[in-house]
Amino acid sequence: MLVLVISGCASLEPKDGQLPAVAVPAAWAAGAGGNTTPDQGATSLAQWWQRFDDPSLTTLVEQALRANTSVRTAQASLQQARAQVDVQSAGLAPSVGASGSAQRSRANNSTGNTFQAGFDASWEPDVFGRLRSGVNASEADARAAVASLADVQVSLAAEVVVNYIELRGLQQRLAIARSNLASQQETLQITQWRLQAGLTTSLVTEQARAAAEQTAAQIPTLEASLAQSRYSLAVLMGQVPGALDATLAASAPVPQPTAELALAIPAETLRQRPDVRASEQRIAAALARVSQADAARYPSFSLGGSLGLRALTLGALSGGSAVTSALLGSVSVPLLDGGAARAQVRVQTASLEQARVAYEATVLTALKDVENALVALRGDRERLTRLVAAADAASNAALLAQQRYSSGLIDFQSVLETQRTLLSTQESVAITTAAVAADHVRLYKALGGGWQ
């Protein structure tokens, strides 16, 4: 198979060769699948949830992206990383401080006052790049925090949509169970009439009652799952459980994407994934810290100075004789540190290797996510086609069986069997319909959609 070698991504600024070479296939092994096509330009997936054409879903996703606690935590982490960049950058510039003091002393029965005011300044020339490397590391950390925030947004949007699809699927399954229960209760009524007329036995009536009760027993479970889905969505919105009960009470179909999806090639997909970009920036930060640790082994220089006033009275501070100044230059050379500086370089080098391996793992996981989503989507689409045909046949069989039983042409066992088959196939259709929609969500997430 043809492969492309990823040696960098669009957002990278660090030196070439810092990223490990990862063999990336030129095309997806699972193919396009479903209603996707790789032959056109890649579809923009910045707000992929709008492709479901469901206003309620769009509103929920947008609310979650604003109020979810995980997003707010990631935003705070980004603010912290940006502030750390400012802290590191400040070390490159001179520092200036102002001071003032007043002192009263007593010795040999005499007292004296001393007043001082002045400015102190210091600067460390970054001869070997230690300070600049620290800034570079902080800037890479900030870029990684940006990508991590995007990754949280991608995951959150997918989780909201999957929960919404699950909720709509449960509503459909609940409607199916209630409809089948009504049909089975009608059949039970028929058997009771036939029992009173002496045309059937109590065994048949009890079989009909058992079937109806089994179906009725599914309803409380579905209602509980439905309530739990609403609670999960409310928490994702940053609200208390139950806050969406009124909003989501009305039943609605399971949303499905309304447009074709054109896939990007694997290499382009990796550039879109925020987790891959975050891994790249972590390598950049680790590389800068290796440089910082290496520069710490060399001499450091500093320049300092002070300019001030010193006098015995406040009035004398304005005189020219009160002016004092000093200038100091110093150099610090590490001589004997027990190998700590070299060991620190090895520590950071090992951290760099960990970041490189983590990047490789992230790329492989990203490729696996897309392939799995494509395979699942294709399989569930084929399954849904078969199940829809089976459900149509089961519906016709159940109707015919009930009519023939009412006419006394078949036994009740045939009616029970067709009703069970109908309920099973209709529920499978509802479950698989939701699964197809969820497969689209997982594909959008795997492609890195949901952020700009």
Side-chain angles (χ1 to χ4, degrees), residues 94-139:
S95 62
V96 179
S99 62
S101 66
Q103 178 180 344
R104 182 177 179 83
S105 60
R106 181 182 180 88
N108 298 323
N109 295 323
S110 64
T111 59
N113 300 323
T114 303
F115 299 92
Q116 295 185 82
F119 296 93
D120 299 311
S122 63
W123 177 52
E124 181 180 346
D126 193 24
V127 177
F128 296 102
R130 180 177 61 84
L131 298 178
R132 171 50 61 184
S133 294
V135 173
N136 291 340
S138 296
E139 289 175 343

XYZ file of all heavy atoms in Angstrom, residues 94-139:
334
model
N 15.131 43.697 31.206
C 15.672 44.165 32.488
C 14.550 44.367 33.498
O 13.412 44.679 33.139
C 16.335 45.497 32.134
C 16.556 45.439 30.656
C 15.436 44.634 30.108
N 14.886 44.202 34.752
C 13.929 44.461 35.832
C 14.389 45.705 36.594
O 15.580 45.888 36.834
C 13.825 43.267 36.778
O 15.066 43.013 37.411
N 13.442 46.556 36.910
C 13.724 47.809 37.612
C 12.819 47.892 38.820
O 11.621 47.604 38.737
C 13.494 49.023 36.687
C 13.774 50.318 37.442
C 14.361 48.925 35.443
N 13.400 48.302 39.957
C 12.626 48.456 41.181
C 12.959 49.760 41.876
O 14.051 50.312 41.708
N 12.013 50.245 42.614
C 12.214 51.478 43.379
C 12.157 51.147 44.857
O 11.423 50.247 45.280
C 11.135 52.503 43.026
N 12.932 51.883 45.646
C 12.948 51.624 47.087
C 13.152 52.934 47.838
O 13.671 53.912 47.292
C 14.073 50.642 47.458
O 15.342 51.188 47.137
N 12.751 52.938 49.058
C 12.948 54.088 49.940
C 12.997 53.627 51.378
O 12.367 52.631 51.736
N 13.772 54.310 52.198
C 13.878 53.903 53.601
C 14.231 55.109 54.467
O 14.796 56.097 53.995
C 14.942 52.810 53.767
O 16.234 53.320 53.482
N 13.857 54.972 55.716
C 14.222 55.975 56.718
C 14.693 55.241 57.956
O 14.040 54.291 58.404
C 13.032 56.871 57.030
N 15.839 55.651 58.521
C 16.411 54.945 59.658
C 16.787 55.951 60.753
O 17.332 57.022 60.470
C 17.657 54.171 59.218
C 18.346 53.440 60.366
C 19.582 52.688 59.887
O 19.758 52.472 58.699
N 20.438 52.324 60.827
N 16.483 55.624 61.983
C 16.888 56.440 63.140
C 17.711 55.555 64.057
O 17.265 54.470 64.444
C 15.668 56.986 63.877
C 16.045 57.895 65.068
C 14.773 58.469 65.706
N 15.082 59.317 66.847
C 15.431 60.584 66.782
N 15.514 61.183 65.588
N 15.685 61.300 67.866
N 18.919 55.999 64.377
C 19.815 55.187 65.200
C 20.301 56.020 66.392
O 20.314 57.252 66.359
C 21.011 54.701 64.364
O 21.732 55.797 63.847
N 20.737 55.324 67.427
C 21.222 55.984 68.649
C 22.489 55.276 69.105
O 22.524 54.053 69.230
C 20.163 55.933 69.734
C 20.564 56.612 71.046
C 19.455 56.461 72.079
N 19.806 57.100 73.325
C 19.578 58.368 73.620
N 18.922 59.135 72.726
N 19.924 58.885 74.784
N 23.528 56.061 69.375
C 24.792 55.489 69.853
C 25.529 56.548 70.672
O 25.640 57.705 70.243
C 25.651 55.038 68.686
N 26.031 56.135 71.836
C 26.779 57.046 72.721
C 25.996 58.326 72.999
O 26.513 59.455 72.853
C 28.146 57.392 72.108
C 29.022 56.173 71.923
O 29.006 55.268 72.773
N 29.788 56.146 70.841
N 24.762 58.151 73.368
C 23.877 59.261 73.731
C 23.639 60.252 72.594
O 23.274 61.411 72.818
C 24.436 60.031 74.947
C 24.459 59.160 76.188
O 23.545 58.355 76.390
N 25.488 59.311 77.011
N 23.902 59.807 71.384
C 23.612 60.669 70.241
C 22.705 59.915 69.270
O 22.764 58.695 69.180
C 24.916 61.072 69.532
O 25.548 59.932 68.986
N 21.899 60.670 68.577
C 20.959 60.049 67.634
C 21.238 60.576 66.243
O 21.790 61.671 66.059
C 19.508 60.363 68.023
O 19.342 61.787 68.021
C 19.178 59.803 69.391
N 20.866 59.799 65.273
C 21.065 60.211 63.888
C 20.000 59.615 62.987
O 19.449 58.551 63.277
N 19.733 60.308 61.921
C 18.757 59.850 60.932
C 19.450 59.626 59.596
O 20.407 60.312 59.242
C 17.642 60.885 60.739
C 16.886 61.148 62.035
O 16.667 60.237 62.820
N 16.506 62.406 62.263
N 18.944 58.646 58.875
C 19.442 58.381 57.520
C 18.239 58.149 56.612
O 17.360 57.348 56.930
C 20.343 57.133 57.490
O 21.430 57.315 58.412
C 20.897 56.918 56.091
N 18.243 58.844 55.477
C 17.144 58.701 54.510
C 17.741 58.259 53.177
O 18.783 58.756 52.740
C 16.412 60.037 54.337
C 15.784 60.540 55.616
C 16.488 61.399 56.466
C 14.501 60.143 55.962
C 15.910 61.853 57.637
C 13.931 60.600 57.127
C 14.629 61.456 57.984
N 17.034 57.312 52.538
C 17.501 56.798 51.258
C 16.319 56.667 50.289
O 15.199 56.358 50.698
C 18.151 55.418 51.407
C 19.437 55.421 52.229
C 20.075 54.044 52.207
O 20.760 53.692 51.267
N 19.864 53.288 53.258
N 16.581 56.885 48.999
C 15.596 56.663 47.943
C 16.361 56.367 46.669
O 17.436 56.950 46.429
C 14.694 57.887 47.766
N 15.840 55.448 45.856
C 16.583 55.143 44.638
C 15.913 54.079 43.790
O 14.825 53.581 44.082
N 16.639 53.729 42.717
C 16.186 52.715 41.769
C 17.260 51.655 41.641
O 18.456 51.959 41.642
C 15.924 53.347 40.389
C 14.816 54.350 40.378
C 15.088 55.707 40.559
C 13.500 53.950 40.196
C 14.068 56.635 40.540
C 12.476 54.882 40.180
C 12.754 56.226 40.361
N 16.812 50.423 41.527
C 17.712 49.294 41.300
C 17.315 48.633 39.984
O 16.120 48.466 39.693
C 17.615 48.267 42.430
C 18.001 48.860 43.778
O 19.061 49.501 43.840
O 17.219 48.699 44.731
N 18.282 48.234 39.198
C 18.020 47.576 37.925
C 18.949 46.387 37.776
O 20.081 46.400 38.257
C 18.207 48.552 36.761
N 18.424 45.344 37.100
C 19.255 44.174 36.833
C 18.830 43.567 35.498
O 17.683 43.703 35.075
C 19.112 43.130 37.955
O 17.783 42.648 38.028
N 19.765 42.894 34.856
C 19.494 42.260 33.557
C 20.439 41.097 33.375
O 21.620 41.175 33.694
C 19.664 43.283 32.439
C 19.470 42.699 31.070
C 18.414 41.962 30.630
C 20.377 42.782 29.965
N 18.587 41.593 29.319
C 19.784 42.093 28.877
C 21.627 43.403 29.789
C 20.412 41.975 27.644
C 22.232 43.305 28.547
C 21.633 42.594 27.478
N 19.892 40.011 32.866
C 20.696 38.827 32.587
C 20.767 38.627 31.078
O 19.774 38.219 30.457
C 20.104 37.580 33.244
C 20.932 36.327 33.000
C 20.346 35.095 33.663
O 19.454 35.251 34.527
O 20.779 33.975 33.314
N 21.887 38.926 30.450
C 22.015 38.677 29.003
C 21.866 37.180 28.716
O 22.531 36.358 29.345
C 23.422 39.165 28.674
C 23.790 40.080 29.807
C 23.106 39.533 31.013
N 20.999 36.858 27.768
C 20.726 35.444 27.462
C 21.730 34.951 26.421
O 21.379 34.674 25.268
C 19.286 35.298 26.971
C 18.832 33.850 26.939
O 19.390 33.024 27.682
O 17.907 33.543 26.154
N 22.978 34.821 26.847
C 24.058 34.518 25.908
C 23.884 33.143 25.277
O 24.062 32.969 24.065
C 25.418 34.611 26.634
C 26.552 34.219 25.680
C 25.627 36.019 27.182
N 23.539 32.145 26.061
C 23.445 30.773 25.557
C 21.994 30.321 25.307
O 21.753 29.145 25.052
C 24.139 29.807 26.525
C 25.619 30.073 26.640
C 26.129 30.754 27.745
C 26.489 29.672 25.651
C 27.486 31.008 27.851
C 27.848 29.920 25.757
C 28.351 30.595 26.851
N 21.031 31.220 25.399
C 19.656 30.903 25.020
C 18.832 30.180 26.051
O 17.764 29.652 25.738
N 19.284 30.163 27.312
C 18.513 29.445 28.338
C 17.141 30.098 28.549
O 16.115 29.401 28.601
C 19.291 29.426 29.652
C 18.565 28.709 30.790
C 19.425 28.674 32.045
N 19.744 30.011 32.513
C 18.937 30.748 33.303
N 17.765 30.263 33.693
N 19.305 31.946 33.705
N 17.130 31.415 28.666
C 15.858 32.096 28.914
C 14.936 32.005 27.694
O 13.721 31.794 27.840
C 16.115 33.563 29.275
C 16.938 33.808 30.548
C 17.156 35.297 30.763
C 16.242 33.199 31.761
N 15.488 32.180 26.502
C 14.672 32.081 25.297
C 14.075 30.687 25.135
O 12.924 30.528 24.727
C 15.530 32.445 24.075
C 14.876 32.179 22.720
C 13.479 32.745 22.598
N 13.445 34.189 22.752
C 12.321 34.894 22.764
N 11.151 34.262 22.678
N 12.356 36.202 22.914
N 14.841 29.655 25.507
C 14.312 28.293 25.441
C 13.142 28.114 26.401
O 12.160 27.425 26.094
C 15.412 27.278 25.761
O 16.417 27.298 24.769
N 13.236 28.721 27.582
C 12.114 28.663 28.517
C 10.874 29.325 27.959
O 9.747 28.825 28.137
N 11.056 30.455 27.265
C 9.917 31.131 26.626
C 9.329 30.242 25.534
O 8.102 30.098 25.414
C 10.346 32.490 26.050
C 9.212 33.118 25.234
C 10.771 33.429 27.170
N 10.201 29.642 24.730
C 9.721 28.767 23.656
C 8.916 27.597 24.209
O 7.895 27.199 23.634
C 10.901 28.245 22.833
C 11.571 29.337 22.025
O 10.983 30.381 21.767
N 12.818 29.108 21.625
N 9.382 27.037 25.314
C 8.663 25.930 25.928
C 7.282 26.375 26.406
O 6.277 25.674 26.208
C 9.466 25.354 27.088
N 7.210 27.542 27.016
C 5.924 28.048 27.500
C 4.982 28.354 26.348
O 3.772 28.108 26.432
C 6.137 29.301 28.355
O 6.869 28.997 29.520
N 5.523 28.900 25.262
C 4.678 29.180 24.106
C 4.130 27.890 23.495
O 2.966 27.829 23.087
C 5.477 29.964 23.065
C 5.775 31.398 23.487
C 6.668 32.121 22.493
O 7.305 31.431 21.665
O 6.718 33.366 22.545
